[in-house]
Amino acid sequence: MATNKKNPTLITTVGTMAATAAVAEYQDHYQKTLYDSDYFWDQTARQELRWYSLFHRVQDCDLHAGRIAWFLGGKLNVTDNCIDRHLPERANQVAILWEGDTPDQIRKITYLELHQEVSRLANVLKSYEIKKGDRVAIYMPMVPEAAFAMLACARIGAVHSVVFAGFSAESLRDRICDAKCTAVITADEAIRGGKTIPLKRITDEAIMACPLVKTIFIVKRTGNKIPFYPERNVWLDEEMKKQMPYCPAEVMDSEDPLFLLYTSGSTGKPKGVTHTTAGYLLYTKLTHRLVFDHQEGDIFGCMADIGWITGHSYIIYGPLANGATTFMFEGIPIHPHPGRYWEMVERHKMTQIYTSPTAIRTIARESIDYVKKYDRSTLRVLGTVGEPINEEAWKWYYEVVGEKRCDIVDTWWQTETGGIMITPLPKIHSKMLKPGWASYPFFGIRPVVLNEKGEELNSKSGSEKVEGLLAIKNCWPGMARTIYGDHQRFYNSYLAAYPGYYLTGDGCRLDEEGRYRITGRVDDVINVSGHRLGTAEVENALSTHPACAESAVVGYPHEIKGQATLAYVVLKEGYESNGDLLGELRNEARHHIGAFATIDKILIAKALPKTRSGKIMRRVLRKIASAEYHDLGDLSTLADPSVVEQLIHQHKIL
Ligand code: WTA
């Protein structure tokens, strides 16, 4: 459409509108970003990114065909945009502000130092023959070296795959093998909440089954003694000292992969969600700046772990692309005391804080004095992400932490979306905030609510509540391109069910004013404390126990964690339920997946409710687990209805 072309100020205005625009102006801009999306993204990409050579085509996307490509033919490097570009003005500005597990450990890394450290690490990787396109696993504590490692990969065009340090050896192994990683960057140990995690030992166990791994680079975190095998183990700090503090940035194509990040889906096998260079960088940069109202001098406090997408997009890539000072936190919110976040806010004069509903609920349980004691007057924006936030937690965040003065941004997005998709915008929507509602789509994003038949529902279709499946009707630069090594699975998981739409896997509601409320997953994924967990993964873990004949795992509401896990287990003949066995079963998920996956409740069942064709009726199991006994829906296809009564009886006394 021609209208936008008459309005060359669109992009510049969007860039600064957070400070000035009224709601109507936002609406107007939002509509423009949709109806001439190519123009919007073309202008934004030219303005926001530094290109070695400019793209020749804005996008080539077709959701029906599963084809997604942005800024075709463009050449750039992510670290050139996140580091080099800022050096003339920001060499001595702190890029990464780090606080360790205990408050006495603080490190400040300037942009110049970041440039040098990343270069050194990149040179180390090169000296071990790691090159563009190779996959490198990163299994690290939250220390600045983890950021250096990610950026060093990006510097030379290697593809990083960060694995959260809470994952077990088995999970790490599966991810290393699936991505065919040739190197792992890890640490001797991690420290979190006063506990140590033997990362190197776990890595050794994991790589026994990964013959492609040639080198393990080790960062010294605790300095405790660890197994060291000189043939393929390398101390990273020693190697970095030998290297030059300059490494040329590899020239990357817009669509070269930047990283893989494994996430859970409805089957047992995690998916290597793949993000590419230009689109991802642009989208995280723009969302970071506008959603958090980033301004010069801000100290941006994202409390996530780099093992999850939030850490990638809003500790590393988005903030650094904006030349921000980004905060990195090794610890947990209640260690050594429940006021830790606010103590850090005061100490560093943080301007934004970005955390999860689980963390908010955990802190809100404690005395309010832990918050009030610290000066929070520098805070302007309070963000939440990862799971639906309940009204009570939202209000506590707004009233107690933000003293009704700060904007709350309840940001909905996913590993697959790369960046924030639905959120209020600070200043613009301040007067329209609604607790528990992620609210409005970001620029260039067109969400829709679908019913099971794939028909679009909209808020003007009557006074009935609009509720259904959340889908996105268009492409955006930050979206994942594929699942590593399995594009068909990508297509089947997100694009096949309703052709022409990206299906999110979340349910949602839409109100009359166009706000979205995310109600939670509608597939076999559970969201425990904001961590995605596939029920099939937990069932696979249980099936390795000799006593387990069959199991079905479901989520149920939990006061702090949002959701918790209940496993219905049928025992093999000859096994009897007792405390030891229950403990062992519960530990299977912890052992095979990681500590965060511990099963909360186990119910030993005589049988599982199945249809006559033998399919487990999970819907019924979910209802029982949530104690919604009177709302079980249609049970007419059930092979043996007495199974359900028995389970209800057992659940009531669990
Ligand atoms: C959930 C995290 C409600 C949702 C960035 C989604 C949310 C999954 C919100 C993605 C929110 C994330 N309100 N639910 N503000 N943000 N979710 O891939 O179920 O770790 O599908 O990405 O978290 O989790 P992931």
Side-chain angles (χ1 to χ4, degrees):
M1 253 182 237
T3 347
N4 266 346
K5 303 208 166 72
K6 287 182 205 140
N7 178 10
T9 60
L10 171 63
I11 308 308
T12 25
T13 322
V14 166
T16 55
M17 69 184 292
T20 55
V23 176
E25 202 180 334
Y26 153 82
Q27 287 284 1
D28 186 45
H29 280 293
Y30 171 68
Q31 290 303 335
K32 282 176 183 154
T33 65
L34 291 189
Y35 69 63
D36 201 350
S37 158
D38 279 8
Y39 175 75
F40 169 64
W41 289 119
D42 175 84
Q43 294 294 298
T44 314
R46 283 165 192 265
Q47 184 177 303
E48 297 287 334
L49 300 185
R50 182 154 92 170
W51 299 88
Y52 297 135
S53 54
L54 204 58
F55 49 95
H56 57 73
R57 183 171 173 189
V58 178
Q59 51 92 11
D60 178 19
C61 298
D62 182 350
L63 288 179
H64 287 91
R67 191 172 69 242
I68 305 151
W70 284 87
F71 312 118
L72 287 86
K75 305 285 177 204
L76 72 167
N77 183 286
V78 164
T79 62
D80 177 60
N81 276 276
C82 289
I83 309 172
D84 305 40
R85 181 181 189 182
H86 306 309
L87 291 179
E89 284 171 14
R90 304 185 188 278
N92 298 320
Q93 180 197 313
V94 175
I96 298 179
L97 170 55
W98 176 83
E99 193 161 312
D101 194 46
T102 48
D104 54 328
Q105 300 162 300
I106 292 170
R107 283 170 68 186
K108 295 180 179 177
I109 294 113
T110 65
Y111 272 95
L112 180 61
E113 287 161 346
L114 185 63
H115 187 254
Q116 295 171 341
E117 297 294 328
V118 169
S119 296
R120 285 203 171 93
L121 212 160
N123 285 330
V124 172
L125 298 180
K126 274 172 135 176
S127 72
Y128 282 83
E129 289 169 4
I130 295 164
K131 52 185 191 315
K132 180 173 176 176
D134 290 350
R135 272 86 47 217
V136 175
I138 297 178
Y139 185 61
M140 295 271 280
M142 283 290 289
V143 290
E145 285 73 13
F148 305 161
M150 292 165 75
L151 292 161
C153 288
R155 187 90 182 159
I156 63 168
V159 180
H160 61 70
S161 167
V162 182
V163 180
F164 174 57
F167 273 115
S168 66
E170 216 170 285
S171 296
L172 176 62
R173 177 199 69 197
D174 291 348
R175 286 157 176 77
I176 292 174
C177 288
D178 188 75
K180 301 187 185 67
C181 294
T182 53
V184 184
I185 307 177
T186 187
D188 48 3
E189 295 177 314
I191 317 174
R192 216 157 172 247
K195 295 193 191 116
T196 52
I197 309 166
L199 295 186
K200 170 60 168 51
R201 201 175 53 64
I202 298 172
T203 306
D204 286 340
E205 195 184 327
I207 62 143
M208 281 196 291
C210 310
L212 294 177
V213 173
K214 289 204 215 88
T215 319
I216 300 177
F217 300 96
I218 311 155
V219 171
K220 225 173 249 160
R221 173 64 188 104
T222 62
N224 291 335
K225 206 167 155 46
I226 50 150
F228 188 87
Y229 309 107
E231 23 346 319
R232 57 174 172 181
N233 289 183
V234 174
W235 285 111
L236 195 59
D237 57 340
E238 287 174 14
E239 291 296 308
M240 282 169 72
K241 276 187 214 136
K242 295 182 204 158
Q243 296 294 337
M244 298 278 287
Y246 179 72
C247 170
E250 189 75 33
V251 175
M252 303 297 285
D253 188 87
S254 293
E255 282 299 324
D256 278 333
L258 175 64
F259 66 85
L260 313 180
L261 185 58
Y262 282 84
T263 189
S264 297
S266 6
T267 69
K269 194 171 178 273
K271 307 184 263 201
V273 172
T274 307
H275 283 285
T276 56
T277 300
Y280 172 82
L281 183 65
L282 176 65
Y283 197 70
T284 52
K285 182 175 187 207
L286 196 66
T287 47
H288 168 256
R289 199 173 70 234
L290 299 185
V291 175
F292 297 102
D293 181 29
H294 172 65
Q295 289 172 24
E296 204 54 49
D298 277 359
I299 310 288
F300 181 70
C302 173
M303 300 296 151
D305 191 288
I306 48 130
W308 310 112
I309 190 70
T310 307
H312 284 59
S313 301
Y314 299 110
I315 295 177
I316 310 291
Y317 294 113
L320 293 178
N322 283 321
T325 297
T326 187
F327 183 71
M328 196 172 176
F329 179 42
E330 185 181 39
I332 55 171
I334 49 169
H335 181 77
H337 59 78
R340 183 72 192 271
Y341 275 6
W342 324 117
E343 183 192 343
M344 297 193 300
V345 165
E346 177 183 282
R347 177 161 41 248
H348 303 297
K349 300 192 170 32
M350 274 182 214
T351 41
Q352 295 89 351
I353 190 162
Y354 194 26
T355 187
S356 67
T358 292
I360 296 167
R361 288 187 292 257
T362 307
I363 310 169
R365 237 187 349 186
E366 308 287 340
S367 160
I368 219 169
D369 297 339
Y370 281 114
V371 187
K372 302 250 159 177
K373 199 167 146 185
Y374 300 102
D375 178 12
R376 287 155 286 116
S377 60
T378 48
L379 284 173
R380 301 196 314 271
V381 182
L382 310 176
T384 156
V385 61
E387 39 174 333
I389 184 162
N390 49 311
E391 239 181 274
E392 208 186 334
W394 193 101
K395 286 191 173 144
W396 184 87
Y397 206 22
Y398 184 68
E399 288 165 13
V400 178
V401 178
E403 296 167 319
K404 301 185 185 169
R405 179 179 51 75
C406 300
D407 280 291
I408 302 272
V409 292
D410 173 3
T411 63
W412 173 85
W413 59 294
Q414 308 177 300
T415 304
E416 295 87 341
T417 70
I420 294 164
M421 301 285 282
I422 300 182
T423 178
L425 290 177
K427 295 176 185 159
I428 296 172
H429 295 128
S430 307
K431 301 239 159 28
M432 301 168 73
L433 299 175
K434 191 166 158 184
W437 290 71
S439 300
Y440 302 103
F442 189 72
F443 298 107
I445 306 297
R446 194 192 290 270
V448 290
V449 187
L450 300 180
N451 64 16
E452 295 278 340
K453 286 187 235 154
E455 295 158 348
E456 284 181 27
L457 311 174
N458 63 62
S459 51
K460 294 188 188 73
S461 58
S463 55
E464 277 171 47
K465 195 162 83 170
V466 182
E467 182 154 10
L469 307 169
L470 176 64
I472 313 293
K473 206 180 174 174
N474 61 349
C475 292
W476 64 101
M479 77 188 293
R481 304 299 193 255
T482 192
I483 289 172
Y484 183 74
D486 197 349
H487 192 64
Q488 190 61 44
R489 188 169 174 210
F490 177 79
Y491 187 78
N492 294 346
S493 306
Y494 307 109
L495 308 177
Y498 301 106
Y501 298 95
Y502 165 82
L503 192 65
T504 66
D506 280 312
C508 73
R509 281 170 54 189
L510 179 62
D511 74 5
E512 304 75 43
E513 288 163 305
R515 288 189 200 87
Y516 289 81
R517 180 192 182 104
I518 315 302
T519 49
R521 302 289 306 194
V522 292
D523 53 7
D524 290 325
V525 172
I526 312 177
N527 196 326
V528 180
S529 304
H531 303 326
R532 272 164 75 166
L533 200 57
T535 54
E537 287 174 82
V538 185
E539 288 160 15
N540 286 350
L542 282 168
S543 71
T544 60
H545 193 284
C548 175
E550 193 178 22
S551 71
V553 172
V554 298
Y556 65 93
H558 186 278
E559 218 183 310
I560 302 292
K561 302 198 283 188
Q563 276 194 301
T565 43
L566 187 151
Y568 297 87
V569 178
V570 180
L571 296 181
K572 282 188 190 149
E573 284 226 5
Y575 286 93
E576 290 233 340
S577 165
N578 60 44
D580 286 349
L581 180 66
L582 291 180
E584 281 171 33
L585 287 169
R586 187 169 287 143
N587 266 329
E588 286 297 353
R590 193 186 172 85
H591 176 69
H592 290 280
I593 303 171
F596 67 93
T598 307
I599 297 168
D600 296 276
K601 283 186 190 169
I602 294 198
L603 191 155
I604 301 294
K606 286 211 174 61
L608 299 176
K610 292 187 180 168
T611 61
R612 282 181 214 105
S613 57
K615 218 171 156 248
I616 297 174
M617 289 179 77
R618 291 174 176 279
R619 170 178 57 82
V620 172
L621 293 176
R622 275 196 285 267
K623 292 277 182 186
I624 297 175
S626 309
E628 294 172 23
Y629 310 123
H630 302 294
D631 183 23
L632 298 179
D634 180 15
L635 298 179
S636 61
T637 56
L638 209 57
D640 177 3
S642 73
V643 171
V644 173
E645 282 156 38
Q646 171 72 27
L647 290 178
I648 292 178
H649 171 70
Q650 281 182 269
H651 187 259
K652 282 184 177 164
I653 55 174
L654 194 66

